[in-house]
Amino acid sequence: MGIELPRHIGFIMDGNGRWATSRGLSRSEGHKAGADAFRRICEYGCDIGIKSMTFYAFSTENWKRPAQEVSAIMNIFRDYLHEAQERKEENAQKGMHMHYMGEREGMPEDILDLFDTAENESVNQTKTTVNIAVNYGGRAEILHSVKRLAHSVAAGELDPDSITEDMITSGLYTAGQPEPDIIVRPSGEQRLSNFMIWQAAYSEFWYTDKLWPDFTTEDFDKVIEDYSKRHRRFGGV
Ligand code: FPP
């Protein structure tokens, strides 16, 4: 019997700052190393055939960081998206579809444009969907979905008593994708931090003390191996 691959894996890319500080580097250097880890893990996940991966890159709360750090992170997104443009043939061969996941308001327009281009150009590449959570918060995402339904109710198109969980799910940024089977958080923290809180209702959780920039493809293999050994009951026995 082959190993059962998770259909959707979430990664909370944590520990870049500590990685940099422990080396006497700036926090921005840590985020650059984090982006290298993202590239490595994203590529590997596509190669082994994971259906969906979601990477938490910037939360709605991360705007509170020093302006210099925020701008360094935004530049990392720009660089990556330009690079993805240059590598679009390779990404097409891998069957990778990129998807922006987060609030648009407050984001620099040029970054949204780059994301939109990458997303539109890869729309027919359906092997692996890579969601990049930027300016993302799980509660805001649920609110966004619920408001959409509220508008339908107000317009007289929807009976409030007929609202189902599926209707809320289909208004989330991950609509049409499987729920995350497992969520990975490095750097020793054991919390969700507002990441896919609706979708993660039954997700397995996997953590390690390693910091995100040190996360390797061997660690990824270990996640998959551990996942295949867990017995998920979904509330049953
Ligand atoms: C959390 O670590 C990390 C972030 C807020 C930024 C994550 C961004 C990247 C890894 C770049 C991703 C790049 C692309 C192209 C998607 P932290 O700074 O909170 O670390 P700390 O807890 O050690 O301070």
Side-chain angles (χ1 to χ4, degrees):
M1 197 177 74
I3 205 161
E4 191 194 337
L5 280 182
R7 288 157 307 164
H8 185 170
I9 311 184
F11 292 94
I12 302 179
M13 302 187 284
D14 197 10
N16 299 343
R18 275 164 284 173
W19 183 92
T21 308
S22 72
R23 284 167 175 72
L25 300 170
S26 67
R27 293 181 57 84
S28 306
E29 289 299 322
H31 295 312
K32 273 191 201 149
D36 290 341
F38 159 77
R39 286 184 185 85
R40 176 164 76 233
I41 296 307
C42 180
E43 195 160 310
Y44 189 64
C46 291
D47 288 346
I48 63 176
I50 305 289
K51 189 94 197 97
S52 289
M53 288 185 283
T54 302
F55 293 88
Y56 203 178
F58 195 84
S59 76
T60 43
E61 287 72 42
N62 286 153
W63 295 108
K64 290 186 228 149
R65 294 187 175 212
Q68 197 191 12
E69 182 174 343
V70 169
S71 113
I73 295 175
M74 293 297 149
N75 280 333
I76 289 173
F77 296 152
R78 284 188 182 94
D79 288 348
Y80 171 71
L81 291 162
H82 281 124
E83 181 192 303
Q85 193 64 36
E86 280 158 24
R87 293 175 46 140
K88 68 179 175 197
E89 299 304 324
E90 278 163 68
N91 289 338
Q93 264 175 14
K94 286 192 187 296
M96 174 183 143
H97 173 53
M98 200 191 297
H99 179 55
Y100 177 83
M101 174 170 168
E103 307 297 308
R104 295 179 71 90
E105 207 184 313
M107 279 296 291
E109 276 300 323
D110 68 305
I111 296 186
L112 291 175
D113 287 348
L114 286 165
F115 266 115
D116 289 346
T117 304
E119 180 154 354
N120 293 334
E121 287 182 349
S122 63
V123 76
N124 295 319
Q125 296 157 206
T126 53
K127 191 172 154 233
T128 301
T129 299
V130 174
N131 306 301
I132 304 185
V134 172
N135 199 17
Y136 173 84
R139 288 185 181 174
E141 182 187 30
I142 296 168
L143 182 64
H144 178 85
S145 173
V146 167
K147 275 189 182 168
R148 204 181 61 127
L149 296 175
H151 280 293
S152 302
V153 169
E157 295 156 6
L158 180 65
D159 169 8
D161 289 324
S162 68
I163 294 175
T164 61
E165 291 185 5
D166 282 347
M167 287 181 193
I168 295 179
T169 304
S170 60
L172 302 177
Y173 299 124
T174 48
Q177 298 182 42
E179 289 183 351
D181 290 312
I182 189 158
I183 292 180
V184 171
R185 182 161 195 166
S187 90
E189 314 289 354
Q190 298 176 34
R191 49 177 182 270
L192 268 183
S193 300
N194 206 13
F195 183 53
M196 292 202 283
I197 51 175
W198 175 276
Q199 299 90 326
Y202 290 100
S203 302
E204 296 287 321
F205 199 70
W206 194 96
Y207 62 90
T208 170
D209 287 337
K210 265 194 176 181
L211 304 172
W212 173 252
D214 292 328
F215 200 86
T216 61
T217 54
E218 287 76 24
D219 295 317
F220 199 150
D221 286 339
K222 187 81 175 77
V223 170
I224 291 169
E225 189 192 326
D226 289 351
Y227 172 76
S228 75
K229 289 182 190 148
R230 294 194 194 179
H231 176 209
R232 299 176 75 201
R233 294 194 294 271
F234 297 98
V237 287

